[in-house]
Amino acid sequence: MALDKSRAIPIYQKAELIFKLVQSLVASLPEEDDYIQDTKHLMLEDAMIITAKIAGAEGGNLYSIRMQNAAIIRDHAMHLYVQVGSLRFHKKYKDLEYVTLIRSEIDAFRLLFIEWVKSFDTTNYYWDEWELFNPPGAVRPEENLFNDSDNDFDINDYLDFDEDE
């Protein structure tokens, strides 16, 4: 089962720890401030997506899919880092230890992320036509394989029709 496999790897465990810390942080935030309420939702969403995308990347072994998930993870981790850090500038939030702790854990997560991405199998991929998630040195497939103007295919070459029938 992919989720069980995912839970065993250090990057997933770190992501779960970050999610738990974010949950604790959110519980400590004041309720009466609209900005903080919006920030709570964004932080929880970012932390949840990170763990889900790690599980998704571990569910298969295609380089292209894993890299797509990695890009999403990176985006949400960076967003979470900024959202948490923004609390330092909010007058109604004074418990800055959470901010420092979570940002430190995201920094540690980043190092695990780098090693995790290096472990992706670059020989197992499908060609990304947008050319964003192809492995380094990937060979581009033939251009216009199915271009009708260059096609010598004739259906009659493959059908056995008797002209007299």
Side-chain angles (χ1 to χ4, degrees):
M1 191 174 259
L3 188 56
D4 291 338
K5 176 186 161 192
S6 299
R7 288 187 171 152
I9 62 174
I11 191 171
Y12 188 91
Q13 293 168 356
K14 182 63 76 177
E16 279 190 323
L17 171 63
I18 290 168
F19 177 69
K20 289 175 185 174
L21 290 171
V22 168
Q23 284 181 308
S24 296
L25 168 64
V26 165
S28 76
L29 294 174
E31 297 286 330
E32 66 280 352
D33 186 288
D34 287 339
Y35 171 79
I36 288 197
Q37 290 306 306
D38 291 342
T39 300
K40 281 182 179 185
H41 296 294
L42 292 171
M43 289 187 299
L44 284 169
E45 180 181 301
D46 286 331
M48 282 189 270
I49 289 172
I50 291 168
T51 54
K53 290 299 178 181
I54 292 170
E58 288 298 313
N61 198 27
L62 279 175
Y63 179 85
S64 307
I65 300 282
R66 295 186 88 188
M67 285 302 293
Q68 287 176 13
N69 281 301
I72 294 167
I73 292 164
R74 177 184 176 266
D75 185 50
H76 285 277
M78 291 172 66
H79 191 243
L80 180 59
Y81 192 86
V82 170
Q83 289 294 336
V84 170
S86 73
L87 294 173
R88 294 175 300 165
F89 305 107
H90 200 279
K91 293 175 183 147
K92 293 183 181 178
Y93 186 70
K94 303 292 182 215
D95 195 6
L96 298 179
E97 292 81 24
Y98 269 125
V99 171
T100 303
L101 177 60
I102 293 172
R103 290 184 107 194
S104 175
E105 291 298 332
I106 294 171
D107 285 336
F109 176 86
R110 181 181 55 80
L111 298 176
L112 290 170
F113 177 86
I114 291 167
E115 292 306 312
W116 178 63
V117 170
K118 284 181 186 176
S119 76
F120 294 175
D121 180 3
T122 59
T123 64
N124 187 20
Y125 69 96
Y126 69 90
W127 186 257
D128 174 16
E129 292 178 6
W130 291 67
E131 298 191 20
L132 185 59
F133 299 112
N134 294 321
V139 177
R140 182 183 185 96
E142 292 284 319
E143 291 281 332
N144 302 319
L145 282 177
F146 299 105
N147 185 342
D148 287 336
S149 65
D150 295 339
N151 195 347
D152 292 334
F153 177 79
D154 182 356
I155 190 70
N156 293 319
D157 292 341
Y158 297 94
L159 299 176
D160 190 20
F161 282 118
D162 217 359
E163 301 262 342
D164 295 335
E165 292 181 5

